[in-house]
Amino acid sequence: GAVVSQHPSRVICKSGTSVKIECRSLDFQATTMFWYRQFPKKSLMLMATSNEGSKATYEQGVEKDKFLINHASLTLSTLTVTSAHPEDSSFYICSARTGRPPYEQYFGPGTRLTVT
Amino acid sequence: AQTVTQSQPEMSVQEAETVTLSCTYDTSESDYYLFWYKQPPSRQMILVIRQEAYKQQNATENRFSVNFQKAAKSFSLKISDSQLGDAAMYFCAYRSYPRATGTASKLTFGTGTRLQVTL
């Protein structure tokens, strides 16, 4: 299947700093990318949907100014957690979807963010 | 809005045996996809199987098969000849797909079922 990479896989940052997570579709063009957050032993919670070249659509309750999403190309989307706080510590997963039926959606390996 | 329910938080199966994971969903749409994803300890989400709602035939992928009951809005996953590598969280997911327009919506996940495989 298609490959989606995420970088970094783990990151530790200090409270108040910002951290950027990259998501790349390696062998296909992703017209749509998704960012999820997953708490321990819980399901994936969709944070936002981004389409290449346009603004991301955020789910209710997700602060768009805190979680900045950029989908600058058909193979790259970034999530920037601004002014991170310990409660932002979590597992973040990106996903990329092809632009043709059956609109297969592939997931990245995730990024573990720890804010100290 | 669509909802996906997995009523079994945890299941256990002996190696080489068969186990069935349950999933029900609620939707008013007629055109959609249903998925089972596996999330092993590595936390990489892996697509196990996909079912298109307009297809009556149940999808199968090697040892994995589904029982899709559209009228009952039920979509169970059967794992045959269970292996230690099958131990993981399994998520059922729904996605609407209006064939006429070709657009696809976001995935809606269930809460997951943790499958243990014992020797």
Side-chain angles (χ1 to χ4, degrees):
Chain A
V3 178
V4 175
S5 69
Q6 259 183 262
H7 178 78
S9 58
R10 292 174 181 269
V11 58
I12 300 173
C13 71
K14 292 187 176 181
S15 188
T17 63
S18 296
V19 62
K20 180 185 287 187
I21 302 170
E22 288 189 350
C23 176
R24 294 181 185 272
S25 57
L26 299 184
D27 51 3
F28 67 99
Q29 293 185 327
T31 53
T32 306
M33 287 187 169
F34 304 87
W35 286 95
Y36 297 87
R37 183 172 179 176
Q38 187 178 32
F39 293 100
K41 298 185 179 181
K42 297 293 185 182
S43 188
L44 280 68
M45 182 189 77
L46 180 65
M47 300 175 65
T49 302
S50 72
N51 290 295
E52 185 263 338
S54 57
K55 289 184 178 180
T57 301
Y58 290 81
E59 295 299 301
Q60 192 173 6
V62 178
E63 299 176 58
K64 60 180 67 177
D65 294 331
K66 180 166 189 62
F67 298 99
L68 301 179
I69 291 171
N70 183 278
H71 191 166
S73 77
L74 286 172
T75 59
L76 174 64
S77 177
T78 60
L79 168 67
T80 301
V81 183
T82 63
S83 187
H85 289 97
E87 56 265 31
D88 299 325
S89 298
S90 193
F91 193 69
Y92 293 87
I93 302 173
C94 78
S95 181
R97 189 170 73 195
T98 63
R100 299 178 180 178
Y103 298 99
E104 202 68 80
Q105 190 168 332
Y106 301 94
F107 290 82
T111 296
R112 163 73 62 198
L113 170 64
T114 303
V115 184
T116 60
Chain B
Q2 294 80 26
T3 59
V4 178
T5 302
Q6 292 180 251
S7 59
Q8 305 156 317
E10 290 191 8
M11 292 284 284
S12 183
V13 63
Q14 280 193 320
E15 199 177 17
E17 296 296 309
T18 296
V19 65
T20 298
L21 308 185
S22 301
C23 173
T24 58
Y25 59 96
D26 189 26
T27 183
S28 58
E29 298 172 331
S30 59
D31 231 351
Y32 50 87
Y33 286 105
L34 294 164
F35 306 85
W36 278 98
Y37 284 93
K38 171 184 177 181
Q39 189 179 40
S42 68
R43 303 191 77 169
Q44 170 74 62
M45 292 285 284
I46 301 165
L47 175 65
V48 175
I49 201 164
R50 178 203 315 116
Q51 175 79 44
E52 293 151 309
Y54 67 88
K55 291 187 178 179
Q56 292 186 337
Q57 188 172 8
N58 289 325
T60 62
E61 286 288 342
N62 301 313
R63 297 182 295 109
F64 298 87
S65 62
V66 298
N67 184 3
F68 173 48
Q69 301 291 326
K70 192 172 184 180
K73 296 179 182 173
S74 170
F75 183 61
S76 61
L77 175 69
K78 185 171 81 171
I79 306 174
S80 304
D81 186 25
S82 297
Q83 301 174 359
L84 293 177
D86 295 334
M89 278 289 285
Y90 286 83
F91 293 100
C92 179
Y94 170 102
R95 191 183 76 202
S96 64
Y97 176 40
R99 273 185 291 161
T101 60
T103 59
S105 71
K106 58 191 179 185
L107 283 168
T108 299
F109 286 96
T111 50
T113 297
R114 181 169 300 281
L115 178 66
Q116 291 184 319
V117 181
T118 59
L119 293 171

